[in-house]
Amino acid sequence: MEIPQDAVLLRIFIGESDRWEHTPLYEAIVLRAREMHLGGATVLRGPMGYGKTSRLHTAKILQLSMDLPLVIEIVDSEDKINAFLPELDKMISGGLVTLEKVKVLHYRGAEKK
């Protein structure tokens, strides 16, 4: 699988407790991206954040949230990302989705020793 040098970064901001058909939403998104042969996906967990409602989500011990912020990043060609967007739209009901153009410097697996 190759990613062009001029690519697009899809960034999805959701909550850890969000679900899609009884599955964690982040997991459903990553698996669907893989099924559609997108270049790769990474889920990042945030220790603190807030969104449109201004409700604070934090990992601080006195204010422990069960809904920490998650960011999913997917990089691939603009065409492949655009083909994925209708699938994503079916899955998410809340959150933030952004797109930005990126320059891919290298994309390769680790060499076996």
Side-chain angles (χ1 to χ4, degrees), residues 35 56 63:
E35 287 170 6
L56 194 60
Q63 303 171 351

Side-chain angles (χ1 to χ4, degrees), residues 27-88:
E27 186 176 316
I29 291 170
V30 169
L31 293 176
R32 185 66 185 126
R34 187 169 182 242
E35 287 170 6
M36 294 182 70
H37 305 286
L38 294 177
T42 300
V43 179
L44 307 165
R45 188 178 194 203
M48 187 176 211
Y50 71 93
K52 186 167 176 70
T53 65
S54 293
R55 183 170 160 245
L56 194 60
H57 304 268
T58 181
K60 288 185 177 182
I61 195 71
L62 295 176
Q63 303 171 351
L64 190 59
S65 172
M66 299 305 287
D67 189 26
L68 291 174
L70 297 177
V71 178
I72 304 164
E73 293 189 340
I74 303 171
V75 177
D76 210 315
S77 70
E78 189 168 4
D79 290 342
K80 287 179 84 174
I81 293 292
N82 284 336
F84 181 68
L85 292 177
E87 296 295 315
L88 180 63

Side-chain angles (χ1 to χ4, degrees), residues 99-111:
L99 282 175
E100 60 187 85
K101 293 191 181 292
V102 294
K103 179 84 61 187
V104 175
L105 299 179
H106 93 213
Y107 176 65
R108 56 184 169 242
E111 294 180 20

